[in-house]
Amino acid sequence: MEAVLQTKGLLSLPSNPRLRVFKSPQNSLRQRLTNPIALAPKTLQGLCLSSNGFQKFHGVASNTKGFAQNLRNFPICRAEAAAAAAADGQPLFRDTESPKLLGIELTTIKKIIPLGLMFFCILFNYTILRDTKDVLVVTAKGSSAEIIPFLKTWVNLPMAVGFMVLYTKLADVLPRKTLFYSVILPFIGFFGAFGFLLYPMSHYFHPTALADKLLGMLGPRFLGPLAILRIWSFCLFYVMAELWGSVVISVLFWGFANQITTVEEAKRFYPLFGLGANVALIFSGRTVKYFSKLRENLGPGVDGWAVSLKGMMSIVVLMGLAICFLYWWVNTYVPLPTRSKKKKEKVKMGTMESLKFLVSQKYIRDLATVVVAYGISINLVEVTWKSKLKAQFPSPNEYSSFMGDFSTATGIATFTMMLLSQFVFDKFGWGVAAAITPTVLLLTGVGFFSLILFGHTVTPALASIGITPLLAAVYVGALQNIFSKSAKYSLFDPCKEMAYIPLDEDTKIKGKAAIDVVCNPLGKSGGALIQQFMILTFGSLANSTPYLGGILLVIVTAWLAAARSLDKQFTQLRREEELEKEMERASVKIPIVADDNGPLTTEHQLNPAIGEPK
């Protein structure tokens, strides 16, 4: 039997009811509380009661004089401290304070610095891969930016779903460390092989003649889907680069970080990871720019893009190996926190059952809507911009050089937004922070589409400053992407990660896997499907521009509605979570230890003032 004492801090006894804490009947807890002689202060030395407890047990006086001497032999501890520690997931007692450096525990530093370096390397690689994949598929002979919608729908999305199924199966059979290496090492091996084997030999196994024949039969409207067949190895690189962002960043890194850090450490240091990520964007942008300029120093007849690709893929491999080393070092030399054993029993469900489970919850549906809406919206604008970008910079090296500058500018803008994001969260809250990204994307998208549609009206003004309408569209589209991505990295991503915090462990794990691995490419594929329909209906992206602008308005409106709904649910869950923590701190469960004379009295017997007779 357990008696629950609602008074703040009374007693806390050993949790095993069979343990005979008090050896003799004279020392039993029942006799201490029922024997009038035992209630005397002299006999009760070492029992410390709170003020509320003193009021409940009338006539009981606490004497702390002998408490220190008797504490080792008297297994009654301060319940308030125990409850607070239990609620926070911390050990009940600390013999000595951990050594600190600059006010931070050395154990925490040994975790946070390697995590920060891992995040830097992962984002450094992702920026190089993201810029390179666009150069490969957009500037390749017989391809264009119109390949991207078909590629995201018919190649990227199926592979993302397939990976989620495979990862779920592997997670059930492989240890955590083995799972990490089993996922990241194939990525590293592929990118190294592509730079030194697949790209230099691509002309041997790309079916160019077959693609040309099919294009002549089907017409130019099928240039995009046929380009997937024409440059299939480049498309495979594109998909692997996309999966690096959703798998290595979202699943591997953040999953590992959430396993080894406490809540207090996460609140303090996760924002710094965001700042470090944008430093990685700046440096990787400069790296892409440097390798793209190598062609200027090469002799005639040398494939400058092949040389640049080898250099960049070498860096990707080295950074990937550094990630593996840091992961090994943390697991080997850093004491990791112990999680509470009190967890809901894990229910194993199949893939379809898991998806049905997630779809049935409004909170997860709203969160998925927000993620999918972002993917559709950014894709509608980005693909149109990249088509203008290829027209302005047809050479792979020129295209890559511009993308390097674009990544650097994005890093600087996001770094600045990161510094302001804390003020936004503190001053206006989660709801306003979640609404900023769709608002920015809508306003900048309207400006970009307006310039494309009505650019002829400003052609004389642009000519006066030496800029063509095409170059102006490239610059305005670049600004649109920079502002949208900086808002996404500094506000949208933190809002999304914060939304998982109030969920229970099972929903959190399955929801994050489904949203990060499936909903991200699903959003991009949704935008791609819309563009495919427009291309096949109107002949090209340029002819579809007015309709794409109208669809963007509808998608962003749905995004804002889902964010408002999610804000209400998030706020309610956070209030419930805080209330549960306060209740855990305010109440202590005491297992009642039976002695040789029979069961111990209940709370009502201990305190007749409650209302029930003895």
Side-chain angles (χ1 to χ4, degrees):
M1 181 183 296
E2 288 185 351
V4 181
L5 304 184
Q6 298 295 338
T7 56
K8 259 189 152 179
L10 186 60
L11 305 174
S12 179
L13 297 181
S15 59
N16 189 350
R18 298 180 180 178
L19 182 63
R20 295 297 187 266
V21 179
F22 305 101
K23 300 297 183 182
S24 63
Q26 290 79 10
N27 290 330
S28 68
L29 182 59
R30 182 188 348 187
Q31 293 193 9
R32 285 177 178 268
L33 296 176
T34 59
N35 189 350
I37 300 177
L39 289 176
K42 181 178 180 180
T43 309
L44 198 59
Q45 288 183 0
L47 179 60
C48 181
L49 302 177
S50 67
S51 59
N52 292 336
F54 179 79
Q55 294 170 3
K56 293 187 85 172
F57 293 92
H58 301 288
V60 179
S62 63
N63 185 357
T64 60
K65 181 178 180 181
F67 185 77
Q69 291 82 356
N70 297 333
L71 183 57
R72 295 179 181 177
N73 300 322
F74 192 69
I76 296 180
C77 62
R78 292 166 293 177
E80 183 174 0
D88 293 336
Q90 300 295 329
L92 297 182
F93 298 102
R94 292 184 180 178
D95 296 332
T96 58
E97 187 176 356
S98 301
K100 295 184 178 181
L101 178 64
L102 301 177
I104 306 173
E105 293 185 0
L106 291 181
T107 303
T108 301
I109 293 177
K110 290 171 68 176
K111 287 187 294 186
I112 297 303
I113 291 181
L115 280 177
L117 292 175
M118 283 181 65
F119 200 45
F120 179 90
C121 293
I122 292 172
L123 265 296
F124 190 97
N125 276 1
Y126 179 61
T127 304
I128 291 178
L129 296 173
R130 183 189 63 192
D131 294 345
T132 303
K133 69 179 177 63
D134 290 334
V135 175
L136 284 169
V137 300
V138 172
T139 64
K141 184 179 179 181
S143 180
S144 67
E146 294 178 356
I147 188 180
I148 295 178
F150 298 94
L151 185 57
K152 288 183 176 180
T153 303
W154 306 113
V155 182
N156 191 31
L157 181 60
M159 289 193 66
V161 175
F163 172 83
M164 188 197 72
V165 175
L166 179 61
Y167 182 83
T168 303
K169 300 296 183 183
L170 291 177
D172 291 334
V173 298
L174 294 180
R176 177 173 56 86
K177 298 178 185 177
T178 306
L179 180 63
F180 184 92
Y181 296 124
S182 300
V183 173
I184 196 171
L185 288 177
F187 280 97
I188 298 172
F190 172 80
F191 293 130
F194 184 86
F196 289 89
L197 293 176
L198 291 180
Y199 182 81
M201 301 174 64
S202 60
H203 58 281
Y204 290 111
F205 47 76
H206 280 176
T208 305
L210 176 61
D212 289 338
K213 182 178 179 181
L214 292 175
L215 184 62
M217 295 171 56
L218 299 175
R221 292 189 178 187
F222 290 87
L223 174 66
L226 290 177
I228 297 177
L229 174 65
R230 182 191 301 272
I231 54 171
W232 65 266
S233 65
F234 298 175
C235 296
L236 183 59
F237 182 95
Y238 186 99
V239 173
M240 292 294 286
E242 285 280 325
L243 287 177
W244 178 276
S246 58
V247 172
V248 179
I249 297 176
S250 299
V251 178
L252 295 186
F253 174 78
W254 284 114
F256 180 55
N258 292 335
Q259 287 174 349
I260 70 173
T261 56
T262 64
V263 175
E264 293 303 320
E265 290 171 343
K267 290 179 179 178
R268 186 175 183 183
F269 295 105
Y270 275 13
L272 298 181
F273 290 165
L275 295 177
N278 293 287
V279 174
L281 279 176
I282 297 172
F283 280 95
S284 56
R286 292 296 87 196
T287 302
V288 172
K289 179 81 170 181
Y290 169 78
F291 282 103
S292 299
K293 291 293 185 181
L294 286 180
R295 184 181 182 182
E296 299 175 356
N297 301 323
L298 299 176
V302 179
D303 188 350
W305 177 238
V307 175
S308 301
L309 194 61
K310 288 180 180 179
M312 289 188 288
M313 292 305 103
S314 298
I315 293 178
V316 168
V317 170
L318 291 176
M319 287 290 188
L321 296 177
I323 294 166
C324 294
F325 170 77
L326 291 167
Y327 180 82
W328 169 84
W329 190 89
V330 172
N331 281 283
T332 304
Y333 294 105
V334 178
L336 305 182
T338 56
R339 300 302 184 188
S340 172
K341 301 298 182 182
K342 185 180 179 182
K343 291 184 179 179
K344 186 172 66 175
E345 184 179 355
K346 187 175 181 180
V347 180
K348 291 187 177 181
M349 295 187 292
T351 303
M352 293 305 300
E353 288 80 2
S354 298
L355 292 177
K356 291 179 181 178
F357 169 73
L358 296 173
V359 171
S360 64
Q361 303 191 46
K362 188 175 188 299
Y363 191 93
I364 297 296
R365 290 201 308 270
D366 287 338
L367 189 56
T369 300
V370 168
V371 174
V372 171
Y374 171 80
I376 294 176
S377 302
I378 195 68
N379 192 65
L380 290 177
V381 181
E382 194 173 38
V383 174
T384 306
W385 171 62
K386 288 176 181 177
S387 66
K388 303 297 181 182
L389 190 58
K390 183 191 177 180
Q392 181 66 37
F393 303 107
S395 167
N397 286 86
E398 292 177 350
Y399 192 110
S400 179
S401 176
F402 182 87
M403 292 303 295
D405 291 332
F406 168 78
S407 297
T408 300
T410 302
I412 294 173
T414 309
F415 189 90
T416 305
M417 288 287 291
M418 282 282 186
L419 298 177
L420 299 175
S421 63
Q422 188 63 44
F423 169 78
V424 174
F425 280 110
D426 292 341
K427 182 70 174 178
F428 303 104
W430 189 93
V432 173
I436 289 178
T437 303
T439 304
V440 169
L441 199 150
L442 178 62
L443 295 177
T444 55
V446 168
F448 173 68
F449 283 116
S450 298
L451 182 61
I452 295 177
L453 292 174
F454 309 108
H456 59 279
T457 60
V458 294
T459 300
L462 294 175
S464 63
I465 57 176
I467 298 179
T468 64
L470 176 61
L471 185 59
V474 168
Y475 286 149
V476 172
L479 290 175
Q480 189 278 334
N481 274 267
I482 289 171
F483 287 129
S484 299
K485 291 183 182 295
S486 62
K488 189 254 186 185
Y489 296 144
S490 60
L491 295 172
F492 179 82
D493 286 346
C495 284
K496 183 187 69 172
E497 296 300 328
M498 289 170 62
Y500 292 112
I501 294 176
L503 300 176
D504 63 82
E505 196 67 20
D506 194 47
T507 307
K508 186 184 301 183
I509 293 174
K510 293 181 178 180
K512 186 171 179 59
I515 290 174
D516 288 348
V517 178
V518 176
C519 290
N520 276 325
L522 182 62
K524 297 176 182 179
S525 299
L529 282 173
I530 295 172
Q531 290 169 328
Q532 291 173 50
F533 174 78
M534 295 294 178
I535 291 172
L536 296 177
T537 302
F538 299 102
S540 67
L541 280 175
N543 298 333
S544 309
T545 300
Y547 306 99
L548 293 176
I551 294 173
L552 178 65
L553 178 61
V554 174
I555 296 297
V556 173
T557 302
W559 181 355
L560 289 170
R564 284 195 298 269
S565 174
L566 195 60
D567 179 36
K568 296 178 182 178
Q569 299 174 76
F570 176 78
T571 304
Q572 180 65 27
L573 287 176
R574 289 292 294 164
R575 288 174 181 172
E576 293 175 0
E577 186 181 44
E578 293 298 325
L579 180 60
E580 289 177 0
K581 289 183 179 180
E582 290 299 324
M583 293 176 65
E584 288 178 1
R585 293 176 182 272
S587 63
V588 181
K589 291 184 178 181
I590 301 184
I592 302 305
V593 183
D595 59 14
D596 296 333
N597 296 328
L600 190 62
T601 54
T602 64
E603 182 183 8
H604 291 291
Q605 292 170 315
L606 289 174
N607 184 16
I610 294 179
E612 286 189 6
K614 284 175 125 183

